[in-house]
Amino acid sequence: MSMTFSGQVALVTGGAAGIGRSTALAFAAEGLKVVVADLDATGGEGTVELIRAAGGEALFVACNVTREADVQRLLACTVEAYGRLDYAFNNAGIEIEQGRLAEGSEAEFDAIMAVNVKGVWLCMKHQLPLLLAQGGGAIVNTASVAGLGAAPKMSIYSASKHAVIGLTKSAAIEYAKKKIRVNAVCPAVIDTDMFRRAYEADPRKAEFAAGMHPLGRIGKVEEIASAVLYLCSDGAAFTTGHALAVDGGATAI
Ligand SMILES: NC(=O)c1ccc[n+]([C@@H]2O[C@H](COP(=O)([O-])OP(=O)(O)OC[C@H]3O[C@@H](n4cnc5c(N)ncnc54)[C@H](O)[C@@H]3O)[C@@H](O)[C@H]2O)c1
């Protein structure tokens, strides 16, 4: 699928694996220069190697999105290497196996909120001034179907993803007149390491996961990447503040 992009540089957090890696590869395949940010240097460099092997241009920057100094450095490295930023995919996120709400721990709460909420907020906080100075751009944040509705035994994760949608909508409204669009993508269960950690140990869980989606299967990382690219592309010029479910029909039930 080919899309039209008016910008040249994309940034992907959580780009070492899963949805982030696939989206970084998809941006590069469209001719964009890509900055891959992640805690995991081995995986991040691996993504960069894959992009270069396919003839693209990319750079890895080690970054913990929960630390403001790291995020500031990430944006400084982006500008230093490529001179600008046009699209940001704030996708780094964690899911910790939880019980029912009363069984959660304070440490789990703090860890999930730090990456999924504070990380997205810090990234947008430091990306928006750059996009403003350049006269526009687009941001996509990774929420989840757990950000659109209840997710039993995942209450903290669900709250964190609802918060991502709140940040997305607020930023979209605040910066709409400045030609900056901000949207969220809401995957259902996607075949990534995160999924495998949560489901693979138990085949009944994997079968249950497939059955949650009317399309009868879990999703592929490429199916999230194409939604992210669409939301960044000129084809989505009239779309902002939207939380796009890419969920095999799960939220239609
Ligand atoms: N896989 C799914 O089924 C699914 C469903 C809905 C939403 N999501 C969301 O999609 C996003 C990507 O998940 P994935 O499935 O590709 O998971 P993944 O675990 O394969 O990849 C997540 C990446 O984020 C990185 N990361 C974690 N904490 C970080 C931090 N503090 N700073 C920088 N990088 C950090 C990890 O190192 C990893 O490379 C997450 O936000 C997740 O919540 C995933």
Side-chain angles (χ1 to χ4, degrees):
M1 177 182 29
S2 181
M3 299 193 202
T4 320
F5 295 94
S6 33
Q8 307 143 31
V9 181
L11 164 64
V12 177
T13 73
I19 292 167
R21 170 176 278 183
S22 179
T23 306
L25 289 166
F27 273 128
E30 291 293 330
L32 288 134
K33 294 168 190 148
V34 184
V35 178
V36 176
D38 207 291
L39 271 181
D40 170 9
T42 311
E45 294 287 8
T47 302
V48 166
E49 274 167 35
L50 288 170
I51 290 174
R52 290 186 183 148
E57 204 172 331
L59 168 78
F60 171 69
V61 180
C63 173
N64 181 342
V65 295
T66 69
R67 299 212 185 113
E68 186 158 29
D70 277 26
V71 174
Q72 281 175 301
R73 185 176 156 271
L74 168 63
L75 275 309
C77 289
T78 302
V79 173
E80 192 185 288
Y82 297 136
R84 56 184 297 116
L85 175 70
D86 300 290
Y87 310 112
F89 180 37
N90 298 318
N91 160 77
I94 56 168
E95 185 190 308
I96 297 171
E97 201 167 324
Q98 298 162 44
R100 292 202 173 85
L101 189 141
E103 291 151 13
S105 74
E106 189 178 7
E108 282 168 355
F109 184 95
D110 289 346
I112 293 173
M113 288 295 172
V115 183
N116 296 6
V117 185
K118 185 183 173 193
V120 168
W121 174 73
L122 278 176
C123 285
M124 287 206 289
K125 174 180 152 123
H126 292 286
Q127 290 156 356
L128 284 162
L130 264 179
L131 300 183
L132 266 180
Q134 290 170 196
I139 295 175
V140 178
N141 299 317
T142 304
S144 165
V145 291
L148 295 168
K153 296 197 177 171
M154 285 170 56
S155 59
I156 306 169
Y157 181 79
S158 175
S160 77
K161 294 302 189 179
H162 276 75
V164 169
I165 295 174
L167 290 171
T168 301
K169 289 181 175 174
S170 301
I173 301 305
E174 289 174 6
Y175 294 89
K177 296 262 178 356
K178 304 290 184 189
K179 297 195 172 69
I180 300 171
R181 297 182 299 101
V182 188
N183 291 289
V185 67
C186 300
V189 182
I190 307 299
D191 188 4
T192 65
D193 291 347
M194 183 181 276
F195 163 77
R196 290 192 197 119
R197 281 191 297 269
Y199 292 89
E200 212 169 47
D202 183 347
R204 281 169 311 169
K205 271 191 172 178
E207 203 176 302
F208 173 75
M212 278 163 50
H213 310 82
L215 287 180
R217 62 171 176 86
I218 64 168
K220 301 175 189 155
V221 286
E222 295 83 3
E223 292 165 336
I224 305 305
S226 63
V228 175
L229 262 68
Y230 162 69
L231 289 170
C232 289
S233 77
D234 297 346
F238 201 51
T239 300
T240 198
H242 184 58
L244 177 64
V246 184
D247 67 349
T251 53
I253 298 172

